[in-house]
Amino acid sequence: MIRQHKVVAALPAQLEKDSIYYVRKGSGFDLYVTNSSGTIVAYPANQAGLPSVSLVGIAESAPEALDFDFLTLTLDRDLEPGATFEISFVGTQSQAAISQSLSFYVKINGGAAVTVGSVGTGLSLQNYRAISGRALLTFHKTGAAGSYYLGGSFLVNSLSPFSSNSASPRTADARAGMTITIGVRCSVANAANINRITCAIIKQVV
């Protein structure tokens, strides 16, 4: 016979054999199942699929746009400390023949852009030059007063790569409803500055 138990905060010290326990955690619950051996141990359920989002189709910046937000992940659950996100994209960059730079950034909850990498793209005309970026974002504290670290790299074909790692934590509300947005920024507004993103993903890996 299988018994089921609803537990509000934590597993009880004494567990019944052949039982299922539902334990509240964040905005959801964890599921534990005990065995029928002499020593009763609770086994956590395998973790459900972690949230992720990927680009569908090609995203292209508007003429003369500076910031180009091209992908956003919205979380439907509270985060736990150690939650880590992998971010990556590939695309192309075209520009006018004027001195400028291009940056890869992350925005949390629609706030100010946090630069992962910035590359001076020169002053010559470019058409469809390859670009790519990668980053890791980890929350050390969660909840309304959460904090995270962000680091990564940004590449523009034929130019020196840029890598970064934040030396101090940044604050963010890490509860359900939080958004993570990635994008690229042109330092100069010009109709010839067009960024096309062909592949991009934001996914929680831990």
Side-chain angles (χ1 to χ4, degrees), residues 85-89 104 106 133-135 137 150 180 182 201-202:
F85 296 82
E86 183 179 288
I87 298 164
S88 59
F89 77 91
F104 162 38
V106 174
R134 298 194 67 180
L137 186 159
L150 172 69
I180 301 172
I182 59 175
I201 189 168
I202 307 171

Side-chain angles (χ1 to χ4, degrees), residues 63-158:
E64 299 194 39
L66 294 178
D67 279 17
F68 174 35
D69 299 348
F70 55 81
L71 189 63
T72 296
L73 173 65
T74 301
L75 300 177
D76 61 0
R77 68 189 79 171
D78 295 347
L79 293 181
E80 297 294 328
T84 299
F85 296 82
E86 183 179 288
I87 298 164
S88 59
F89 77 91
V90 296
T92 62
Q93 175 247 358
S94 301
Q95 70 173 45
I98 51 178
S99 180
Q100 53 195 299
S101 63
L102 187 67
S103 302
F104 162 38
Y105 60 76
V106 174
K107 295 177 179 177
I108 303 296
N109 295 327
V114 179
T115 299
V116 176
S118 184
V119 175
T121 54
L123 47 77
S124 61
L125 179 68
Q126 298 290 335
N127 288 301
Y128 306 110
R129 179 164 55 182
I131 61 174
S132 63
R134 298 194 67 180
L136 284 177
L137 186 159
T138 298
F139 281 86
H140 288 208
K141 295 180 180 179
T142 54
S147 64
Y148 68 92
Y149 287 83
L150 172 69
S153 61
F154 180 45
L155 303 176
V156 178
N157 189 41
S158 78

